[in-house]
Amino acid sequence: MGHDNRIMSPLLDEHMKLLRLLQVSSSSKALGSPLPEAILGQFMAAVSADDLDTLKSLLDEYFPERTKRFPGDYIVSELLPIVSHAARHGQVAILNELFTYEFDFKKFAEDDALDAGAKDTLLFFLKQGWDINEIRKNKITFLASALSPQQPNKPDRDMVLWLIQHGADLNARPPHIDDTAMSRAVMTAPPDFICELLDKYGGDVHRGQLLQNALFRRPGDDVVEVMDLLVNRGAPLNMTKYAGDAGSLHRYKTSDLGTPLHMAAVMGNAEAVRYLLSQGADASICSTKGRTALQWAENARRDDVVPILRSPDQYRL
């Protein structure tokens, strides 16, 4: 079996391509040689058969120095296809064996397990002390990743709820930006699932800039319905983005930040603009650089929105 394991893991190709780039760079030559296809095939046969004894023998032969950064003649990260298979199939004994190496396979294994919905693997990590709410290298939590699928509007509900039931926090966020798992949910999840997350599992409408993020749903994808369920639960209607959040404001100190009405206006979403005005959005509020939602719309040449914002009172209830 070769390095091409797309059927096994959609995440593996990216890692293996990066590995190949590193191998041709002068800085990586001391790491070891690429693992020959024939040897990798032996490893894959062992892990596919869930044959731990054979895997141990292969590791002892080709990667014997387990406590060292460079455990053998070959680059230890060449074992990523083995890690991928084990993570995706809940082969925790094999993962436990691979994790004895200095190389950090765990982050890759976590992502692959999430992608495959491999709960046995994730439960194994939890039992080993994994912090399910850690901020990951992509600057979001594991649960936020689960709510950020490649195909919008189709998060894996079962996996999301499993993560929550095992301690994942819908409101956890990195210190530098107000971005939570709920921020992702309002962009992708069906309205009924968003309600469930808010009402049953503690999603907080006062964190994560939810109204702003709901506007990033695909056009026609229940944008106003989602905004309405957020407003009815107390989401701040007239607050400029990141107001009161020092970390976020510092990160975006050069940006012009507005209210949800500003965002709907600049996006040209006339339906959302009318809805926000009907709920009490204040069109006179200025962004952090002193511009109204009307000025944002005029500057963006949003011709469908400009007339609405020039006569906002007619849309109020």
Side-chain angles (χ1 to χ4, degrees), residues 147-148 152-153 179-189 194 210 212-218 221 226:
L147 283 159
S148 302
N153 238 15
D179 183 11
T180 67
M182 278 307 309
S183 305
R184 307 309 173 100
V186 299
M187 289 191 282
T188 62
I194 295 173
L210 301 191
Q212 303 260 9
N213 282 303
L215 285 160
F216 288 102
R217 296 176 72 86
R218 291 180 300 179
D221 189 13
V226 171

Side-chain angles (χ1 to χ4, degrees), residues 96-223:
N96 200 43
E97 192 69 30
L98 292 166
F99 291 168
T100 61
Y101 286 94
E102 186 72 17
F103 187 84
D104 186 7
F105 289 119
K106 188 175 179 183
K107 298 295 184 187
F108 174 80
E110 290 169 0
D111 288 336
D112 238 20
L114 174 63
D115 182 70
K119 295 172 185 173
D120 286 346
T121 302
L122 297 178
L123 193 58
F124 165 70
F125 293 144
L126 285 170
K127 289 179 179 178
Q128 293 211 334
W130 170 48
D131 178 6
I132 200 172
N133 291 307
E134 69 177 329
I135 305 302
R136 302 172 63 74
K137 62 183 179 182
N138 56 358
K139 309 303 182 186
I140 58 177
T141 64
F142 203 73
L143 180 58
S145 295
L147 283 159
S148 302
Q150 294 298 317
Q151 295 186 14
N153 238 15
K154 293 184 179 180
D156 185 340
R157 180 191 295 248
D158 182 60
M159 175 56 76
V160 168
L161 295 182
W162 186 91
L163 291 169
I164 292 172
Q165 289 158 5
H166 286 80
D169 184 354
L170 281 162
N171 307 308
R173 49 158 287 183
H176 67 283
I177 184 69
D178 188 22
D179 183 11
T180 67
M182 278 307 309
S183 305
R184 307 309 173 100
V186 299
M187 289 191 282
T188 62
D192 66 316
F193 191 27
I194 295 173
C195 287
E196 186 176 2
L197 295 175
L198 292 170
D199 298 340
K200 188 175 180 180
Y201 295 104
D204 188 348
V205 296
H206 298 281
R207 304 185 70 178
Q209 311 297 310
L210 301 191
L211 277 177
Q212 303 260 9
N213 282 303
L215 285 160
F216 288 102
R217 296 176 72 86
R218 291 180 300 179
D221 189 13
D222 305 312
V223 174

Side-chain angles (χ1 to χ4, degrees), residues 19-20 22-23 28-35 63 71-80 103:
L19 178 59
R20 296 293 167 260
L22 290 172
Q23 286 171 355
S28 68
K29 290 179 180 178
L31 299 180
S33 303
L35 191 65
F63 301 93
D73 293 333
Y74 301 111
I75 303 173
V76 68
S77 52
E78 293 273 333
L79 293 176
L80 281 174
F103 187 84

